[in-house]
PDB file of all heavy atoms in Angstrom:
ATOM      1  N   LYS B 407      70.856-142.374  -5.276  1.00 93.00           N
ATOM      2  CA  LYS B 407      70.927-143.734  -5.799  1.00 93.00           C
ATOM      3  C   LYS B 407      70.080-144.743  -5.030  1.00 93.00           C
ATOM      4  O   LYS B 407      69.767-145.795  -5.543  1.00 93.00           O
ATOM      5  CB  LYS B 407      72.395-144.207  -5.802  1.00 93.00           C
ATOM      6  CG  LYS B 407      73.326-143.342  -6.660  1.00 93.00           C
ATOM      7  CD  LYS B 407      73.402-143.856  -8.090  1.00 93.00           C
ATOM      8  CE  LYS B 407      74.013-142.875  -9.059  1.00 93.00           C
ATOM      9  NZ  LYS B 407      75.468-142.833  -9.011  1.00 93.00           N
ATOM     10  N   ASP B 408      69.769-144.445  -3.765  1.00 96.00           N
ATOM     11  CA  ASP B 408      68.992-145.413  -2.989  1.00 96.00           C
ATOM     12  C   ASP B 408      67.536-144.984  -2.803  1.00 96.00           C
ATOM     13  O   ASP B 408      66.700-145.795  -2.427  1.00 96.00           O
ATOM     14  CB  ASP B 408      69.627-145.635  -1.602  1.00 96.00           C
ATOM     15  CG  ASP B 408      71.061-146.133  -1.698  1.00 96.00           C
ATOM     16  OD1 ASP B 408      71.378-146.805  -2.696  1.00 96.00           O
ATOM     17  OD2 ASP B 408      71.859-145.839  -0.790  1.00 96.00           O
ATOM     18  N   VAL B 409      67.260-143.720  -3.018  1.00 97.00           N
ATOM     19  CA  VAL B 409      65.880-143.259  -2.860  1.00 97.00           C
ATOM     20  C   VAL B 409      65.289-142.866  -4.212  1.00 97.00           C
ATOM     21  O   VAL B 409      64.373-143.498  -4.720  1.00 97.00           O
ATOM     22  CB  VAL B 409      65.788-142.084  -1.852  1.00 97.00           C
ATOM     23  CG1 VAL B 409      64.349-141.597  -1.732  1.00 97.00           C
ATOM     24  CG2 VAL B 409      66.320-142.512  -0.488  1.00 97.00           C
ATOM     25  N   ARG B 410      65.847-141.825  -4.820  1.00 96.00           N
ATOM     26  CA  ARG B 410      65.270-141.314  -6.066  1.00 96.00           C
ATOM     27  C   ARG B 410      65.204-142.384  -7.162  1.00 96.00           C
ATOM     28  O   ARG B 410      64.160-142.621  -7.767  1.00 96.00           O
ATOM     29  CB  ARG B 410      66.101-140.125  -6.561  1.00 96.00           C
ATOM     30  CG  ARG B 410      65.549-139.441  -7.782  1.00 96.00           C
ATOM     31  CD  ARG B 410      66.646-138.745  -8.564  1.00 96.00           C
ATOM     32  NE  ARG B 410      67.610-139.707  -9.090  1.00 96.00           N
ATOM     33  CZ  ARG B 410      68.593-139.404  -9.916  1.00 96.00           C
ATOM     34  NH1 ARG B 410      68.769-138.154 -10.298  1.00 96.00           N
ATOM     35  NH2 ARG B 410      69.419-140.326 -10.359  1.00 96.00           N
ATOM     36  N   THR B 411      66.338-143.026  -7.417  1.00 94.00           N
ATOM     37  CA  THR B 411      66.408-143.947  -8.550  1.00 94.00           C
ATOM     38  C   THR B 411      65.588-145.230  -8.378  1.00 94.00           C
ATOM     39  O   THR B 411      64.696-145.490  -9.184  1.00 94.00           O
ATOM     40  CB  THR B 411      67.879-144.271  -8.867  1.00 94.00           C
ATOM     41  OG1 THR B 411      68.549-143.041  -9.140  1.00 94.00           O
ATOM     42  CG2 THR B 411      67.995-145.189 -10.064  1.00 94.00           C
ATOM     43  N   PRO B 412      65.840-146.018  -7.315  1.00 96.00           N
ATOM     44  CA  PRO B 412      65.107-147.298  -7.261  1.00 96.00           C
ATOM     45  C   PRO B 412      63.648-147.153  -6.838  1.00 96.00           C
ATOM     46  O   PRO B 412      62.799-147.906  -7.310  1.00 96.00           O
ATOM     47  CB  PRO B 412      65.894-148.119  -6.243  1.00 96.00           C
ATOM     48  CG  PRO B 412      66.577-147.124  -5.376  1.00 96.00           C
ATOM     49  CD  PRO B 412      66.842-145.923  -6.233  1.00 96.00           C
ATOM     50  N   LYS B 413      63.361-146.198  -5.953  1.00 97.00           N
ATOM     51  CA  LYS B 413      61.991-146.113  -5.440  1.00 97.00           C
ATOM     52  C   LYS B 413      61.049-145.468  -6.452  1.00 97.00           C
ATOM     53  O   LYS B 413      59.858-145.756  -6.478  1.00 97.00           O
ATOM     54  CB  LYS B 413      61.959-145.349  -4.105  1.00 97.00           C
ATOM     55  CG  LYS B 413      62.665-146.102  -2.964  1.00 97.00           C
ATOM     56  CD  LYS B 413      62.577-145.347  -1.651  1.00 97.00           C
ATOM     57  CE  LYS B 413      63.724-145.655  -0.717  1.00 97.00           C
ATOM     58  NZ  LYS B 413      63.447-146.690   0.278  1.00 97.00           N
ATOM     59  N   LEU B 414      61.601-144.541  -7.278  1.00 97.00           N
ATOM     60  CA  LEU B 414      60.743-143.841  -8.243  1.00 97.00           C
ATOM     61  C   LEU B 414      61.185-144.069  -9.691  1.00 97.00           C
ATOM     62  O   LEU B 414      60.392-144.466 -10.539  1.00 97.00           O
ATOM     63  CB  LEU B 414      60.751-142.337  -7.945  1.00 97.00           C
ATOM     64  CG  LEU B 414      60.063-141.894  -6.651  1.00 97.00           C
ATOM     65  CD1 LEU B 414      60.450-140.466  -6.304  1.00 97.00           C
ATOM     66  CD2 LEU B 414      58.547-142.002  -6.820  1.00 97.00           C
ATOM     67  N   GLY B 415      62.453-143.777  -9.958  1.00 94.00           N
ATOM     68  CA  GLY B 415      62.928-143.736 -11.341  1.00 94.00           C
ATOM     69  C   GLY B 415      62.809-145.052 -12.089  1.00 94.00           C
ATOM     70  O   GLY B 415      62.253-145.105 -13.199  1.00 94.00           O
ATOM     71  N   ILE B 416      63.305-146.122 -11.479  1.00 94.00           N
ATOM     72  CA  ILE B 416      63.308-147.402 -12.197  1.00 94.00           C
ATOM     73  C   ILE B 416      61.896-147.927 -12.436  1.00 94.00           C
ATOM     74  O   ILE B 416      61.527-148.209 -13.575  1.00 94.00           O
ATOM     75  CB  ILE B 416      64.202-148.428 -11.462  1.00 94.00           C
ATOM     76  CG1 ILE B 416      65.672-147.989 -11.594  1.00 94.00           C
ATOM     77  CG2 ILE B 416      63.998-149.831 -12.026  1.00 94.00           C
ATOM     78  CD1 ILE B 416      66.653-148.813 -10.782  1.00 94.00           C
ATOM     79  N   PRO B 417      61.045-148.022 -11.381  1.00 96.00           N
ATOM     80  CA  PRO B 417      59.691-148.538 -11.660  1.00 96.00           C
ATOM     81  C   PRO B 417      58.901-147.639 -12.612  1.00 96.00           C
ATOM     82  O   PRO B 417      58.113-148.132 -13.413  1.00 96.00           O
ATOM     83  CB  PRO B 417      59.029-148.626 -10.281  1.00 96.00           C
ATOM     84  CG  PRO B 417      59.905-147.877  -9.344  1.00 96.00           C
ATOM     85  CD  PRO B 417      61.269-147.873  -9.921  1.00 96.00           C
ATOM     86  N   ALA B 418      59.153-146.323 -12.570  1.00 95.00           N
ATOM     87  CA  ALA B 418      58.398-145.417 -13.445  1.00 95.00           C
ATOM     88  C   ALA B 418      58.939-145.435 -14.869  1.00 95.00           C
ATOM     89  O   ALA B 418      58.454-144.695 -15.728  1.00 95.00           O
ATOM     90  CB  ALA B 418      58.421-144.000 -12.878  1.00 95.00           C
ATOM     91  N   GLY B 419      59.965-146.240 -15.133  1.00 90.00           N
ATOM     92  CA  GLY B 419      60.431-146.431 -16.496  1.00 90.00           C
ATOM     93  C   GLY B 419      61.436-145.409 -16.997  1.00 90.00           C
ATOM     94  O   GLY B 419      61.719-145.346 -18.189  1.00 90.00           O
ATOM     95  N   LEU B 420      62.000-144.617 -16.071  1.00 86.00           N
ATOM     96  CA  LEU B 420      62.910-143.561 -16.516  1.00 86.00           C
ATOM     97  C   LEU B 420      64.246-144.094 -17.008  1.00 86.00           C
ATOM     98  O   LEU B 420      64.947-143.423 -17.752  1.00 86.00           O
ATOM     99  CB  LEU B 420      63.139-142.584 -15.378  1.00 86.00           C
ATOM    100  CG  LEU B 420      62.026-141.544 -15.253  1.00 86.00           C
ATOM    101  CD1 LEU B 420      62.022-140.913 -13.881  1.00 86.00           C
ATOM    102  CD2 LEU B 420      62.200-140.470 -16.324  1.00 86.00           C
TER     103      LEU B 420
END
Side-chain angles (χ1 to χ4, degrees):
Chain B
K407 300 270 166 79
D408 301 331
V409 179
R410 184 206 64 173
T411 302
K413 293 182 207 264
L414 291 165
I416 291 173
L420 278 160

